[in-house]
Amino acid sequence: MAGRKRKAIDNPSTSTKASSTSSRPSRSTRSSKSKISSVENNDVSAIYRDMLVEANIRPTRASTSEERPIKRKRPGQRRDEVAQSGASSPEKPSRDKAIDLKDHKDEDESADDLEFEDVALPAATIQTVYRDSDEEEEEEDNDEEVFEDVDFSAHASAASEAQDTQQDLELDLSARNKSTLTKTADRRKPISKLEKDRRVEIHKTHLLCLLAHVAQRNKWCNDPQVQDSLRPLLTEKMVKQLNPPSRWHQFGRASSLKEGLNLVNSMFRMKFQITERGMRRALWAETEAHLQDYSLPADSEAVLEKSDFQEAAKSLSGSRDVGAQLYCALLRTAGVEARLVCSLQPLSFGSSGPYMGTGRKGKQKLSMEEKYGQLFKPNDPPDLSMDPNAPLPPRRRLGHPNAAAFRLPETVPGPSRQVAPTPKKIRESAYPIYWVEILDEGHQKWQPTDPLVTESYWKPQKFEPPANDRENCMTYVIGFEEGGTAKDVTRRYVKAYNAKTRRMRVESVLSNGERWWRKALRAYSRGYQSDLDQIEANEFAAAEAREPMPRNIVDFKDHPIYALERHLRRYEVLVPNAKSSGTVGAGSKAPLERVYRRRDVRIARSREKWYRLGREVRPDEIPVKFITKPSKLHEDLFSDEVEELGEGETNGTPIYTIDQTEIYKAPPVLNGKVPKNRYGNLDLYVPSMVPEGGVYIADDYGARAAFILGIDYAPALTGFQFSGRKGTAVLRGVVVAAEYGEAVTAVIEGIKDQEVEMEMERKSRQALRMWRLFLMNLRIRDRIWAGLSPEDEEMEHPDQTQLDADEAMDGEADELDESDEMGAGGFEIDDDYAGGFMLD
């Protein structure tokens, strides 16, 4: 339509002719159609008016006035423009007005066409700066997370109106700002490497504290007083079914154990009352104000000492954690081999977990009684006002005309009763922190049981909480046996150990994390592995092998079995002709990515790094990858000149896999001459780099011994000690010819013996000097107090006398050190003095 109308405007003569010829034959048809439509509209409008009168609704001015029907909306035109065009022309316009309307209509159409044209924006000047550190990269990544792409489609219509009419521009961006603030508030700044290392240390310390806590609670379960308090709860039938005869077959023993466990669970669930809050997940404080205002809940667990635990065994009340511990003590009283299992809740070392004070309190769902009570309040009188402008009450909206006048029957309250106060409901996670495992001796397998929270047994899949649970996170599940032995049983309860759970454990964040965890559990081990431990280890290995492939791309990162090419590190490559194990996609429209096995991933290194590992790259090997480096700028950071590469150089370091290398062989030792590098040393990073015909002597006296013997040697360069980006060579020991090895060793032993003798002689001279000084001090004291008796010494000032004597001894000791020849007891002989005293 727009194209045809533009054509008509360009050629007015043809347009007038066409209009004159086409207007005559269409007048009759137009009039007939208008008559039929007017009759139908009059019938419909009359019926509609009768309906409005019955509904007691007054007609408005717009409804009574006869207007032309609103024109149909053109593509790209808004409804408000159609309504304005229809309302502005209630009467038939004249011929002059029609020309103006036609011109105005053409302008509107041109404005509409401009709305859909693509406007080329001027290209912005891009300024680039190369970073020198990784910290600037992290800061820029954080800045990019804050900004978002703004959608300007909501203001496209406002732009079209501004072209037609000149009015003041008013922008209301409140809704957009609110949504932006909501999105940016949930995003947290990634923690630095220093902060992450600190959190890892806190995570490890918290783990050790929690292990000690659970071990102490496990000892309390073996307390005789606690078991004596719980023994009356067991009946003879329960004890008999919990301990089936060993002559029964496996199925019979397992069935008897289940029946007895069902009876004990039902009894303990009825007897024990949960009155306190147990352990929950530890969270980081987002600000210091959260720590200052933080206090433990009023209903937190009060069992802190062994006496409190004994009282809880008598009263059968407390937190559900105490209930699980008492349940473990009850089963051990019955003679069942039971483990106390705890899901440890340490502080996480990542920044993605929930924080204190940031939980969203969801709206609590009301029951049907509460909703009915809010809708109909019997104490409130019904609203009988018939104001048509007032909103309808809830009863009027029910649909019945007499619903508003209905009165509920009034009940007369009876005599007052003392109603027992309902206990306050404790809101905790729907998944337990503590539970119990019992040994099915028939199948030689540990089975979980929990009578208070999940109310289940033989169902380990019911114990793992979801990822959005703020108060429970299953990361470390430890089971303590009656003798105090601890066992990590996390693989029995989690569904995706390698994909999700392992990423929250210490094994994934530290290179030696697995060794550290084994060392932490070694304090609670029995020292040897029993047959039952081997069976359980095989069970965990089978469960880990049955774990399916992750469905989420994030779960493939650092996965011990599967790997994606996008998650490979800089120095990781796939082996040639690696076969994929499947495909995965980021979404329904994203392309599929191949999934590879982790065993097909190789670590590639440069020639220098392979050389420091005692290997060298074979000649004519093609690098599997080039590690690119940013171009080095000149001293002026903002200069446009960049250092260009020379011929044959590449912007990157070539790296090779271990399959492209071989063991390095140093040049052999010939005629007692040891090969050296240009610095006069011999590279010896690994023992295999010792040259043929030579021997390495790892002793600091090796160079001295070889120099004394007058043989050729080379100091061994064993590594570098880095301070920042600068490394200093570390030299330790020497390499000599193999025929001189025994001689150098013998000389080294002689040097060490000589060093020992010299040290003993030095110590003996020091001891003799101290004894000599001590005797001289005694001689001086005797001469000072020679003419006085012991009683006279006590009558004088003893403290002052002792102080003077010490000063005198110190002064005389200094003179002894300075003089070479001693005479007269260390005093200089003078005619005026006799023995250090002035003559009268």
Side-chain angles (χ1 to χ4, degrees):
M1 294 295 293
R4 293 177 183 176
K5 289 182 180 179
R6 285 199 185 98
K7 213 170 193 180
I9 292 170
D10 296 338
N11 195 356
S13 61
T14 58
S15 64
T16 53
K17 290 179 183 180
S19 62
S20 61
T21 56
S22 62
S23 60
R24 294 176 182 177
S26 62
R27 186 175 299 172
S28 60
T29 58
R30 190 184 307 165
S31 61
S32 61
K33 290 181 181 178
S34 63
K35 290 180 182 178
I36 295 172
S37 62
S38 62
V39 173
E40 294 178 353
N41 292 335
N42 291 334
D43 296 339
V44 174
S45 61
I47 296 172
Y48 185 67
R49 290 192 190 95
D50 295 340
M51 294 176 65
L52 293 178
V53 171
E54 291 179 0
N56 195 13
I57 297 177
R58 297 179 181 179
T60 59
R61 172 183 268 178
S63 62
T64 56
S65 62
E66 296 182 358
E67 297 177 353
R68 295 179 60 186
I70 299 175
K71 291 187 284 186
R72 182 177 296 176
K73 182 174 73 69
R74 296 191 305 273
Q77 186 179 13
R78 300 195 316 272
R79 295 185 180 275
D80 54 355
E81 295 180 358
V82 177
Q84 290 178 4
S85 62
S88 61
S89 59
E91 298 178 358
K92 187 174 180 180
S94 61
R95 188 171 184 180
D96 297 333
K97 291 182 180 180
I99 297 173
D100 297 338
L101 291 173
K102 184 176 181 181
D103 296 337
H104 184 67
K105 185 177 181 182
D106 294 336
E107 291 177 0
D108 292 343
E109 291 178 355
S110 63
D112 293 338
D113 294 335
L114 288 174
E115 183 179 354
F116 295 96
E117 292 180 358
D118 296 330
V119 181
L121 298 177
T125 304
I126 301 176
Q127 181 179 358
T128 59
V129 177
Y130 293 90
R131 66 175 65 88
D132 295 332
S133 61
D134 296 335
E135 295 179 0
E136 297 181 3
E137 184 179 1
E138 294 178 0
E139 293 177 359
E140 291 186 4
D141 294 341
N142 299 336
D143 295 340
E144 291 177 359
E145 292 180 357
V146 176
F147 294 100
E148 297 179 355
D149 296 332
V150 181
D151 185 12
F152 292 98
S153 61
H155 306 288
S157 59
S160 62
E161 283 187 358
Q163 295 178 359
D164 297 340
T165 60
Q166 296 181 357
Q167 296 180 357
D168 296 337
L169 182 62
E170 296 182 1
L171 298 177
D172 186 12
L173 303 178
S174 59
R176 190 69 185 174
N177 291 336
K178 290 179 181 178
S179 61
T180 306
L181 290 175
T182 304
K183 292 180 181 179
T184 56
D186 294 336
R187 297 182 178 181
R188 297 187 180 92
K189 188 176 180 180
I191 58 177
S192 61
K193 186 178 183 300
L194 184 63
E195 175 66 17
K196 187 173 183 180
D197 294 342
R198 186 180 72 90
R199 290 194 176 191
V200 169
E201 296 299 325
I202 295 175
H203 178 84
K204 293 160 62 176
T205 306
H206 198 185
L207 267 180
L208 298 178
C209 295
L210 290 174
L211 282 173
H213 169 73
V214 182
Q216 186 66 28
R217 291 299 177 97
N218 182 60
K219 290 181 181 179
W220 291 358
C221 295
N222 300 331
D223 184 55
Q225 186 175 350
V226 173
Q227 295 185 358
D228 293 341
S229 302
L230 298 174
R231 187 172 288 109
L233 300 177
L234 296 173
T235 61
E236 185 178 355
K237 181 180 179 182
M238 294 178 183
V239 176
K240 186 176 180 180
Q241 290 184 342
L242 289 174
N243 298 277
S246 59
R247 63 178 182 274
W248 289 8
H249 52 81
Q250 293 181 347
F251 181 76
R253 298 175 67 179
S255 300
S256 176
L257 184 60
K258 289 181 181 180
E259 291 176 2
L261 202 61
N262 190 16
L263 294 176
V264 175
N265 288 359
S266 302
M267 178 272 301
F268 193 80
R269 192 182 309 119
M270 293 176 61
K271 296 286 186 182
F272 190 82
Q273 185 179 4
I274 300 176
T275 58
E276 297 172 347
R277 183 191 297 268
M279 186 190 296
R280 57 179 175 175
R281 183 179 182 182
L283 304 178
W284 287 97
E286 196 167 9
T287 59
E288 295 182 359
H290 293 156
L291 288 178
Q292 295 175 358
D293 302 337
Y294 179 76
S295 60
L296 290 175
D299 55 353
S300 60
E301 183 179 325
V303 177
L304 301 177
E305 301 292 339
K306 188 175 182 179
S307 58
D308 300 335
F309 191 73
Q310 294 172 354
E311 291 296 331
K314 295 178 182 178
S315 61
L316 291 178
S317 62
S319 65
R320 62 185 193 181
D321 297 346
V322 175
Q325 295 159 16
L326 294 177
Y327 179 68
C328 179
L330 179 65
L331 293 178
R332 290 178 182 177
T333 305
V336 180
E337 191 170 354
R339 276 178 177 173
L340 179 63
V341 184
C342 178
S343 176
L344 305 181
Q345 305 294 320
L347 283 165
S348 64
F349 49 79
S351 60
S352 59
Y355 283 74
M356 292 172 54
T358 58
R360 299 179 179 179
K361 297 181 179 180
K363 296 182 178 179
Q364 301 178 2
K365 295 184 179 180
L366 301 178
S367 60
M368 294 300 296
E369 293 81 0
E370 294 176 349
K371 292 180 180 179
Y372 187 80
Q374 291 182 359
L375 187 62
F376 301 103
K377 297 181 179 179
N379 297 330
D380 297 340
D383 188 8
L384 301 177
S385 61
M386 301 303 292
D387 188 5
N389 297 327
L392 295 176
R395 299 178 184 176
R396 184 69 178 273
R397 289 198 296 266
L398 290 177
H400 196 278
N402 298 327
F406 176 74
R407 291 179 177 272
L408 295 175
E410 297 181 359
T411 57
V412 180
S416 61
R417 298 180 180 178
Q418 295 182 356
V419 181
T422 58
K424 185 179 179 181
K425 187 176 181 181
I426 300 175
R427 297 186 177 275
E428 292 183 277
S429 175
Y431 298 85
I433 301 292
Y434 280 89
W435 64 91
V436 179
E437 282 184 354
I438 61 174
L439 178 61
D440 183 7
E441 296 182 355
H443 296 87
Q444 290 293 303
K445 189 176 181 181
W446 293 93
Q447 297 291 351
T449 174
D450 176 35
L452 298 177
V453 184
T454 60
E455 300 179 1
S456 63
Y457 56 90
W458 257 254
K459 295 180 180 179
Q461 66 274 8
K462 286 191 173 184
F463 291 84
E464 184 181 9
N468 57 357
D469 196 338
R470 276 182 58 88
E471 298 188 351
N472 194 349
C473 178
M474 184 172 286
T475 309
Y476 302 89
V477 182
I478 310 299
F480 281 84
E481 299 181 11
E482 187 174 359
T485 304
K487 183 76 174 180
D488 188 358
V489 294
T490 311
R491 292 176 178 85
R492 178 177 291 126
Y493 298 97
V494 296
K495 299 177 182 177
Y497 178 80
N498 292 322
K500 297 183 180 296
T501 307
R502 189 177 179 274
R503 298 175 60 188
M504 298 182 290
R505 292 168 61 100
V506 73
E507 293 96 321
S508 63
V509 71
L510 295 177
S511 58
N512 60 342
E514 188 173 357
R515 184 177 61 183
W516 180 89
W517 180 238
R518 288 199 306 266
K519 186 177 180 181
L521 292 179
R522 193 178 304 165
Y524 306 98
S525 63
R526 61 170 56 94
Y528 63 93
Q529 193 174 17
S530 61
D531 296 340
L532 188 60
D533 294 337
Q534 294 179 1
I535 295 174
E536 192 173 20
N538 295 335
E539 177 190 352
F540 293 157
E544 188 174 355
R546 290 194 306 268
E547 183 178 337
M549 183 186 298
R551 299 181 180 179
N552 192 0
I553 287 184
V554 180
D555 296 338
F556 281 96
K557 190 173 183 180
D558 298 332
H559 198 281
I561 300 177
Y562 302 102
L564 293 179
E565 194 169 0
R566 65 157 69 181
H567 292 154
L568 297 181
R569 294 182 175 86
R570 297 184 63 192
Y571 293 95
E572 290 181 347
V573 294
L574 292 170
V575 297
N577 302 325
K579 295 182 180 179
S580 62
S581 302
T583 56
V584 67
S588 59
K589 297 182 180 180
L592 296 178
E593 301 183 28
R594 294 179 180 271
V595 181
Y596 299 94
R597 291 277 182 175
R598 180 65 65 177
R599 62 171 178 259
D600 294 336
V601 178
R602 297 288 185 271
I603 297 177
R605 296 181 174 89
S606 60
R607 292 179 179 269
E608 292 77 10
K609 290 187 178 181
W610 281 124
Y611 179 71
R612 293 180 184 178
L613 294 176
R615 305 185 70 88
E616 62 177 350
V617 181
R618 291 193 294 264
D620 300 334
E621 289 288 344
I622 300 175
V624 294
K625 191 177 180 182
F626 283 90
I627 302 298
T628 59
K629 297 180 180 179
S631 300
K632 294 183 179 179
L633 302 179
H634 291 286
E635 295 181 358
D636 188 3
L637 183 63
F638 300 98
S639 176
D640 296 334
E641 298 181 1
V642 181
E643 183 180 355
E644 297 182 356
L645 298 174
E647 296 183 0
E649 296 182 358
T650 58
N651 185 16
T653 304
I655 57 177
Y656 307 86
T657 60
I658 193 172
D659 301 332
Q660 298 175 298
T661 62
E662 59 185 5
I663 298 176
Y664 171 76
K665 292 183 179 181
V669 178
L670 299 176
N671 299 325
K673 298 292 183 181
V674 181
K676 305 177 184 65
N677 54 18
R678 58 179 179 176
Y679 300 102
N681 305 322
L682 179 64
D683 298 333
L684 193 64
Y685 301 108
V686 292
S688 61
M689 298 182 71
V690 177
E692 186 179 358
V695 61
Y696 171 60
I697 300 175
D699 198 290
D700 295 335
Y701 294 103
R704 184 177 175 184
F707 180 78
I708 292 173
L709 293 175
I711 61 176
D712 187 45
Y713 68 95
L717 176 62
T718 58
F720 291 90
Q721 183 178 2
F722 289 90
S723 176
R725 301 183 61 183
K726 182 179 180 181
T728 306
V730 177
L731 302 175
R732 186 176 184 273
V734 293
V735 176
V736 297
E739 56 268 19
Y740 301 132
E742 295 181 1
V744 174
T745 304
V747 173
I748 290 175
E749 292 179 357
I751 294 174
K752 289 182 178 180
D753 294 340
Q754 187 179 1
E755 290 287 341
V756 171
E757 291 179 0
M758 293 175 63
E759 181 68 19
M760 292 179 64
E761 186 178 356
R762 187 185 65 81
K763 289 182 179 180
S764 62
R765 286 199 306 265
Q766 181 70 16
L768 290 175
R769 178 179 174 276
M770 295 302 296
W771 276 108
R772 186 178 184 181
L773 181 62
F774 178 66
L775 293 175
M776 292 300 104
N777 292 337
L778 289 178
R779 188 176 298 177
I780 293 171
R781 185 182 183 283
D782 291 341
R783 291 190 178 186
I784 291 175
W785 300 99
L788 297 177
S789 61
E791 291 81 4
D792 296 337
E793 294 182 12
E794 294 178 0
M795 291 177 64
E796 297 294 335
H797 300 287
D799 298 335
Q800 186 66 27
T801 304
Q802 184 67 25
L803 180 61
D804 296 340
D806 294 338
E807 292 179 357
M809 286 189 292
D810 293 337
E812 297 298 332
D814 295 337
E815 293 179 2
L816 288 173
D817 295 335
E818 294 175 0
S819 60
D820 295 333
E821 296 179 1
M822 297 296 177
F827 292 92
E828 185 178 356
I829 302 174
D830 196 355
D831 297 334
D832 297 335
Y833 294 89
F837 295 93
M838 184 179 295
L839 299 176
D840 295 335

